[in-house]
Amino acid sequence: MEKLTGLKKFKTAVFISGTGSNLKNLIKFSKIKKTPISINLIISNTNKAKGLKYANQFNIRKKIFNFQNLKNIEKKILILLKKEKISLICLAGFMRILSKNFIKKFDGKIINIHPSLLPKYKGLNTHEKAIKNKDKYGGCSVHYVTSKLDSGKIILQKKVKITAKDDFISLSKRVLKEEHKLYPAAILKIFN
Ligand code: GAR
């Protein structure tokens, strides 16, 4: 990533599908003094994403795409990203898979947060899998997005101890708290 110079902020788009707690946290992070990013665009694949409320709350442009015709939609998204001069995409609970072509166009500039200690448990139901396998630790990872699902280079990871009392709800709550620290830390790392 380019070095951070002076007051220049990297315009960022956050892609969401759901609650948007990571989005809210990234918006908070984009307002602190040492932040390298500004959040200029929120993209969702559904108008049901609760996180869209943060677009209104923080006065950030939002756009909803249904992602049914992926090629067509991605073309539109690329035009929008260019228009908004976006240089970083943060996936934050975004539950759609982007095409190889799209990822290539934004090569090295798309990052994702995933609720497991990658390369363990790519895909869905990560906490259930960690508990079922009696793992000592769950956790989260921030990684670069490549065309292989949840497989790009890891930027940062955080372990979370799994106790005998944990079910996937209690574990996911504790991991989510760590996600909120890890995502900003990973962004600071890539820009420094
Ligand atoms: C987070 O736990 C995130 O790691 C996960 O979805 C949740 C979204 O929460 N992402 C994935 O599973 C991506 N494969 P949020 O909407 O409150 O940020």
Side-chain angles (χ1 to χ4, degrees):
M1 280 284 171
E2 221 177 307
K3 278 267 174 244
L4 181 64
T5 48
L7 294 173
K8 187 180 160 207
K9 296 262 165 77
F10 292 90
K11 292 191 174 177
T12 300
V14 183
F15 286 32
I16 63 166
S17 300
T19 315
S21 72
N22 275 291
L23 163 65
K24 183 183 179 201
N25 184 63
L26 288 177
I27 295 171
K28 243 172 69 193
F29 171 65
S30 75
K31 295 184 183 298
I32 67 171
K33 209 171 163 198
K34 65 172 180 181
T35 193
I37 61 162
S38 61
I39 299 194
N40 299 73
L41 182 63
I42 296 166
I43 288 181
S44 173
N45 62 303
T46 165
N47 59 11
K48 295 197 173 70
K50 291 206 178 105
L52 285 168
K53 68 177 181 218
Y54 300 119
N56 304 336
Q57 194 175 323
F58 294 97
N59 204 16
I60 298 168
R61 181 163 187 202
K62 70 171 182 221
K63 211 66 179 131
I64 298 147
F65 293 98
N66 69 17
F67 276 81
Q68 253 156 35
N69 181 342
L70 191 64
K71 217 172 156 189
N72 224 342
I73 295 298
E74 286 186 337
K75 225 169 155 183
K76 286 188 183 160
I77 295 178
L78 283 167
I79 291 169
L80 181 61
L81 295 172
K82 205 168 170 191
K83 196 169 145 220
E84 296 287 334
K85 299 190 169 59
I86 298 295
S87 52
L88 177 71
I89 296 175
C90 292
L91 307 184
F94 182 64
M95 301 314 238
R96 286 297 156 112
I97 293 173
L98 297 164
S99 75
K100 257 187 198 164
N101 176 55
F102 183 92
I103 293 166
K104 219 168 92 191
K105 293 245 162 70
F106 254 78
D107 196 24
K109 291 174 183 158
I110 311 177
I111 61 176
N112 178 44
I113 188 148
H114 183 75
S116 81
L117 296 171
L118 290 171
K120 264 194 162 179
Y121 312 136
K122 296 168 185 169
L124 299 174
N125 307 320
T126 54
H127 302 309
E128 288 92 327
K129 287 173 189 159
I131 289 171
K132 193 168 160 234
N133 289 339
K134 301 197 174 4
D135 289 355
K136 282 193 177 140
Y137 294 94
C140 45
S141 312
V142 178
H143 65 95
Y144 287 103
V145 172
T146 61
S147 56
K148 268 181 115 186
L149 181 71
D150 299 330
S151 296
K153 190 175 166 224
I154 290 163
I155 302 160
L156 278 182
Q157 254 179 348
K158 176 73 184 179
K159 279 184 180 176
V160 173
K161 204 163 173 36
I162 300 177
T163 69
K165 281 192 222 146
D166 267 323
D167 57 18
F168 85 91
I169 294 170
S170 62
L171 181 59
S172 64
K173 274 189 188 158
R174 283 210 312 291
V175 172
L176 194 61
K177 262 193 185 163
E178 294 303 329
E179 289 185 32
H180 296 162
K181 294 182 214 158
L182 197 73
Y183 219 159
I187 291 171
L188 284 174
K189 188 175 171 194
I190 63 177
F191 284 110
N192 281 309

